[in-house]
Amino acid sequence: MKTLKVLLSSLQWLSLALVLSTCSEPEIPRPEITTVNPDKGVVGEEVVIVGKNLSTAEVVFFGSAENTPASRSDTEIRTAVPAGLTPGNVSVVVKTEGGNSNAFSFTVLPSQPEITSIEPDKGSIGMEITLKGKHFASATSVAFGTKTITGFISKTDIELKLLVPEGLDPGAQNVNITTDGGVSENSTFTVVGLL
């Protein structure tokens, strides 16, 4: 009888040892994206990513650019379209402790242009001036009041050089830029006589 108890006790310990030796850390589930809302937007715009297994999200990739989540739960991440992206299609991927999610398509839209300064801010017809700001790369025209010009001396994403067009009356003129991202807010340029 004593031998039977010892044998049963040994078998229990052996069973427990086998159970413990086959236990491993539970596998962390891979994240999955089901929707990205909106599925297109400009740099800085808020985006809500819906899916599952998102609670440990460390970073959200928009193509090669990345951003950290502003908030996250198991089923939702709020973040923003990161800076440094050019307009076009990119893949959104969420990275968590469980690995990388599936890729979801997102379209980066051109940002609305913004004029921060006109140098000089007054001048005569035919004079070269420089508009400074951002998101000028796709500029197609500049309006001075009712006059629109489409020819520029030079153009970059942050600077546009052009000549003050003919046919403007003396005085303050509203100036704006049209790009693929829309029309800028008005800035003011003052037309004066020959300097």
Side-chain angles (χ1 to χ4, degrees):
M1 187 71 161
K2 210 173 194 181
T3 306
L4 187 58
K5 279 187 175 181
V6 169
L7 185 58
L8 284 173
S9 178
S10 296
L11 284 173
Q12 287 174 334
W13 281 110
L14 183 58
S15 296
L16 180 60
L18 280 171
V19 167
L20 290 175
S21 69
T22 58
C23 286
S24 62
E25 290 290 319
E27 190 175 312
I28 298 172
R30 187 171 172 244
E32 183 181 323
I33 299 173
T34 54
T35 61
V36 175
N37 188 26
D39 63 358
K40 61 181 89 143
V42 298
V43 168
E45 186 172 344
E46 183 182 71
V47 175
V48 178
I49 299 167
V50 177
K52 60 184 181 179
N53 307 319
L54 303 175
S55 61
T56 62
E58 302 161 5
V59 67
V60 179
F61 292 99
F62 285 76
S64 59
E66 62 183 67
N67 211 348
T68 53
S71 67
R72 63 184 180 218
S73 69
D74 194 52
T75 59
E76 183 179 282
I77 293 172
R78 289 183 179 271
T79 190
V81 180
L85 291 170
T86 55
N89 292 325
V90 296
S91 292
V92 175
V93 175
V94 175
K95 179 182 179 184
T96 71
E97 291 176 2
N100 288 347
S101 71
N102 56 307
F104 204 92
S105 181
F106 184 85
T107 304
V108 180
L109 298 175
S111 296
Q112 182 176 2
E114 181 181 327
I115 300 173
T116 55
S117 68
I118 300 176
E119 298 175 6
D121 64 355
K122 64 178 83 165
S124 57
I125 303 297
M127 181 177 172
E128 180 180 315
I129 62 171
T130 303
L131 280 60
K132 295 191 175 188
K134 55 187 177 180
H135 312 303
F136 292 174
S138 64
T140 54
S141 65
V142 174
F144 284 79
T146 59
K147 297 288 180 184
T148 300
I149 61 169
T150 56
F152 313 121
I153 295 168
S154 66
K155 174 176 72 170
T156 68
D157 197 48
I158 59 168
E159 191 175 274
L160 197 69
K161 290 184 184 291
L162 52 96
L163 300 177
V164 178
E166 293 184 15
L168 294 174
D169 292 328
Q173 303 287 330
N174 286 329
V175 177
N176 60 54
I177 297 177
T178 299
T179 70
D180 292 346
V183 180
S184 70
E185 296 288 328
N186 287 331
S187 285
T188 302
F189 179 79
T190 303
V191 177
V192 296
L194 292 174
L195 297 177

